[in-house]
Amino acid sequence: MRVGRTPYRSIFLDEDSWGVRVVDQTVLPHRFQLLRLESADDVVRAIRSMVVRGAPLIGAAAAYGVALAVRADPSDASLEDALERLAATRPTAVNLRWALHRMDEVARDLPPELRADACYREAASLCDEDVELNRAIGGHGLAILHELAVGRPLNVLTHCNAGWLATVDWGTATAPMYRAHDDGLDIHVWVDETRPRLQGAALTAWELGQHGVPHTLIPDSAAAHLMSKGEVDVVIVGTDRTTALGDVANKIGTYPLALAAADNGVPFYVAAPSPSIDWQTEDASRVPIEQRDSDEVISVRGLGPDDAVGVVRIAPEQTQAVNYGFDVTPRHLVTGLITERGVCDASGEGLRRLFPEGEGAPGSEAS
């Protein structure tokens, strides 16, 4: 997508064709900065610190992390170590497991001297596929938005950042919005701020602005009020893990949005690329919910009057906090899943209609 007039992907190889460049998402929207990753350790730190975030991008970065590891040391021990450490970075996003399994399959049976080239090719292929998946999701979502167009600005609400910064390009939930804007549809996006890390305020608002999509930032708590006043025509969010039966694990605060949408008759769609489908899990209670550092709740990062990015405490010093990173939206609250193969009901039957290969589909251990 565009930054100014320059097209970017969120992850790409550097000019030397082995170092990996990523957008540092911790300094946005105040600075646009690219970081170079040169080792699996660099990738682990980037994922843990949320320099790199978003389920599809985490998978893509992990794939390049494996390539960097075997470039430095192609031995079995090095491969195993990289896979193990990368897998431990973020527990909820299933794309991470899927990408590492795919890289392991490519490298495992090759002679050590052939592993690096093969892993770089596979990581590049995974990234290219992600772009096309998201472009296709955008097309299917665009059809929904055209159906909902009402002769005035179409108001779409989204949560967190499921944009191009969370993927390799286009985004999942935002892809229909970009396609609609480019198609001339009169569209306006309500952007949830998304406490506590404020990915909506810092990232989604920034990238929508870069693309010229009209948008308005709102507190998370204002979303239900806007729905009750008829100011929201549709909600589209992303997913970090969709169970085999259609329940959706996404950024904390998604479940209350779905409840409010159901109460107000607002369609609630989830943009769900196939690598985010967990074919191994039917029971949503088994989805691991990441608990992050409580400092993210009791402090806020922002730009100070001296134009320096800093952290400010907003709670009393003795106050304790809990910081759940995700929640699970039950499938009965989801109007439909927008996948690269079309839109389906949020159900096992709906998913298998589009992905009849089921257990062998992308996102499964068996793929």
Side-chain angles (χ1 to χ4, degrees), residues 16-177:
D16 58 13
S17 298
W18 71 268
V20 179
R21 288 283 188 180
V22 296
V23 178
D24 183 352
Q25 300 190 36
T26 65
V27 298
L28 285 171
H30 312 299
R31 292 199 302 271
F32 178 73
Q33 177 175 299
L34 298 175
L35 293 184
R36 178 178 165 91
L37 310 178
E38 296 186 344
S39 68
D41 285 341
D42 288 348
V43 176
V44 167
R45 283 191 293 269
I47 295 173
R48 285 195 183 279
S49 66
M50 296 184 73
V51 165
V52 165
R53 46 145 299 280
L57 181 58
I58 288 170
Y64 272 119
V66 174
L68 288 166
V70 297
R71 178 184 183 274
D73 177 0
S75 68
D76 288 350
S78 174
L79 175 63
E80 288 287 354
D81 179 65
L83 292 168
E84 182 178 345
R85 289 188 297 117
L86 287 162
T89 53
R90 300 291 300 275
T92 303
V94 76
N95 302 64
L96 175 61
R97 184 184 73 189
W98 165 79
L100 292 175
H101 177 73
R102 180 165 161 175
M103 298 302 291
D104 188 25
E105 280 196 324
V106 166
R108 178 68 55 186
D109 296 327
L110 286 176
E113 65 272 15
L114 299 181
R115 283 176 173 168
D117 285 346
C119 284
Y120 272 99
R121 286 195 300 271
E122 190 67 13
S125 178
L126 185 150
C127 288
D128 289 343
E129 290 169 21
D130 181 73
V131 175
E132 293 310 312
L133 291 183
N134 296 330
R135 193 193 311 274
I137 286 172
H140 296 300
L142 173 61
I144 293 171
L145 297 183
H146 272 296
E147 289 177 5
L148 292 170
V150 288
R152 57 171 172 78
L154 183 70
N155 286 304
V156 183
L157 188 143
T158 193
H159 188 65
C160 194
N161 175 256
W164 73 266
L165 289 166
T167 66
V168 179
D169 205 349
W170 283 100
T172 55
T174 58
M177 304 172 203

Side-chain angles (χ1 to χ4, degrees), residues 254-312:
T254 302
Y255 181 26
L257 283 180
L259 289 169
D263 192 50
N264 289 282
V266 176
F268 183 92
Y269 286 95
V270 176
S274 56
S276 296
I277 302 170
D278 181 1
W279 296 101
Q280 300 297 305
T281 301
E282 294 187 347
D283 181 358
S285 68
R286 293 180 55 203
V287 174
I289 300 299
E290 178 181 3
Q291 288 199 50
R292 297 188 55 80
D293 195 317
S294 63
D295 284 348
E296 294 180 353
V297 176
I298 63 179
S299 303
V300 64
R301 177 185 294 269
L303 191 69
D306 57 354
D307 287 335
V309 176
V311 175
V312 178

